[in-house]
Amino acid sequence: MPAVPTPVDPLAASLAPPEQLPPHVRTTLEAIAPGFVLGQDYLRKITSTMLEEFAAGLSQYGEPMAMIPTYVTGVPNGSETGTFLALDLGGTNLRVCEVKLLGNKKFELRQQKYKVSDTLKTGEAVALFNYMADCVDVFLTENQTNVQDGEDLYLGFTFSFPVEQRALASGELLTWTKGFSAKNAVGQDVGKLMQEAFDRRHMHVKCVAIVNDTVGTLLTRAYTGGGCILGAIFGTGTNGAYVEDVSRISKFANHPAAAKGGSMVVNCEWGAFNNTRSVMPTTPFDNKLDRESINVRKQAFEKFISGMYQGEILRNIILHLIDSVPAILFKGESSPAINKHYGIDTAVMSDIERAKTLEEVQQVVVSAFGLPKETVGAMDAWIVRWATEVVGTRAAKLSACAVAAILVQTGHAHLEGANKTSNTPLKTPTELQIGVDGSMCEFYPHFEERLRDALRSLVGEEVERRTVIGLAKDGSGVGAALCALQAVKQV
């Protein structure tokens, strides 16, 4: 791991320790801190490396940072009107949405969920797609959606499975995941399969876009915020989509769509940033998590910052402190929750960080970890609080590296401390709109505050102040309907 500059007191925490730390405790925690308490220079190095991986992904196919062209060539501005449909297939449920755009950055949403049986998941693909068309038909009938004679309703299809997209409404299914194995679908164009199902029922519905939910997040924020440069997911997983100049997507140069120039939304797939871990602040706790994961040496960035993994990183630290000789936590006692793989949920970290006193931290630890009250002292509570804060803060600051990289990539910022490689003046809109979704940014205490603190050190105070971070919920529903709007605008 590269050397990480650490602030003067790596053991600073928002609650004071109940007493002076014993020397062996201080020494152990100080040894843990460098992989979590990250200084500005180190964050800048990570951001610079991310920009290098952006460039590699834009120039050639097959890179871990895939930088996928989405064929979406613009974003809404909130003035658009009309009624659009979304179909969201991601797992056990199928969701049908009707989004009525009101033209004042506001919309009305009607939606209904339908169960997808195991029989449909594993049967013939035509039966699955027929069922989805039937659900849309039932939804339109029950909601009495008005369709003028001879007019079509336009639909965006959020299809949350690996697809190689060929055009906005066309993509080949590479493989099924999440318990689906419907026959005669892999290798087929899912947009075409969906449209054929609508046509068999003589429905006035056109599937005009296959949608990634991160792209949907970008479009949702663009509509409600009057424009947007980045849609980002900071939740169970993480990803980002942003608006890029087509001329900079060099791997796309020979594609007919590239000849038109202009802009295109790029889906970064930044969860796979730095899979080599050449620059990530890797600790033994991260290595243990990766080694025991189902996708070893993949999705490195995601494992450092997303909600799925934060509780597991904390659990690994706690196990280390219980097993230390002499024991540092809980008098050396453990519990089934602490011993179980993924036994500590990231939501527990939120509860620990929300606690106002060490007594409240003790209550959360006793309850969530399943420990006897007498084994959790005030010092134990402080150590758990400190460990939780450094894990949660690292996730937020690394997330800021991704946001900063996009601001630099799109010409809205320079990376602080870096040599300026371009004389092109920065774009300086009054507001830099960023749409975010996911449990980390919505529910984790201090996430945005910590992200902004790091962002300030990466792109400067003036750019950070103009950056507006707004929740953009439901990229897979509202965002898919807005993608249908963009498809119609692009024709």
Side-chain angles (χ1 to χ4, degrees), residues 10-17 21 25 28-37 283 285-286 304 309-322 328-330 344-346 348-353 358 361 365 369 378-396 440 444-445 450:
L11 303 189
S14 60
L15 293 176
L21 297 182
V25 173
T28 303
L29 299 188
E30 283 178 343
I32 291 170
F36 292 93
V37 186
T283 68
F285 314 108
D286 300 298
F304 280 83
Y309 300 106
Q310 299 310 297
E312 182 66 2
I313 296 168
L314 176 65
R315 187 183 77 90
N316 288 342
I317 295 172
I318 286 169
L319 281 171
H320 170 68
L321 297 174
I322 289 170
I328 287 172
L329 273 182
F330 315 138
I344 297 175
D345 195 272
T346 303
V348 173
M349 293 174 61
S350 294
D351 293 339
I352 290 167
E353 289 229 44
L358 288 181
V361 176
V365 169
F369 294 5
M379 183 58 84
D380 296 300
W382 183 84
I383 292 168
V384 171
R385 171 66 168 243
W386 172 82
T388 301
E389 284 187 7
V390 296
V391 172
T393 300
R394 183 180 73 164
M440 292 298 285
Y444 198 91
R450 291 163 176 169

Side-chain angles (χ1 to χ4, degrees), residues 420-431:
K420 294 181 176 57
T421 54
S422 168
N423 294 320
T424 308
L426 291 178
K427 301 171 191 168
T428 54
T430 314
E431 291 182 341

Side-chain angles (χ1 to χ4, degrees), residues 129-172:
F129 282 83
N130 281 346
Y131 174 72
M132 290 193 282
D134 287 338
C135 290
V136 175
D137 202 9
V138 168
F139 175 86
L140 294 175
T141 303
E142 288 180 350
N143 285 284
Q144 298 178 323
T145 301
N146 292 321
V147 184
Q148 301 295 324
D149 284 346
E151 284 196 9
D152 292 319
L153 279 168
Y154 297 103
L155 176 140
F157 185 16
T158 300
F159 187 77
S160 300
F161 301 91
V163 165
E164 187 170 315
Q165 209 150 345
R166 303 278 166 77
L168 188 49
S170 170
E172 179 187 316

Side-chain angles (χ1 to χ4, degrees), residues 251-267:
K251 67 183 178 185
F252 203 53
N254 296 324
H255 194 284
K260 296 177 185 173
S263 301
M264 184 173 287
V265 176
V266 169
N267 166 19

Side-chain angles (χ1 to χ4, degrees), residues 72-87:
V72 178
T73 58
V75 298
N77 60 23
S79 67
E80 297 88 347
T81 58
T83 299
F84 297 88
L85 301 178
L87 185 60

Side-chain angles (χ1 to χ4, degrees), residues 180-226:
F180 280 73
S181 58
K183 300 169 191 67
N184 299 310
V186 172
Q188 299 297 310
D189 180 345
V190 292
K192 186 164 174 275
L193 290 175
M194 194 67 255
Q195 189 58 55
E196 286 171 352
F198 290 138
D199 293 346
R200 279 192 290 272
R201 278 147 184 71
H202 307 290
M203 294 168 63
H204 288 282
V205 175
K206 294 287 181 224
C207 178
V208 291
I210 296 168
V211 189
N212 168 281
D213 62 351
T214 312
V215 175
T217 299
L218 169 70
L219 298 181
T220 302
R221 183 60 188 171
Y223 191 82
T224 59

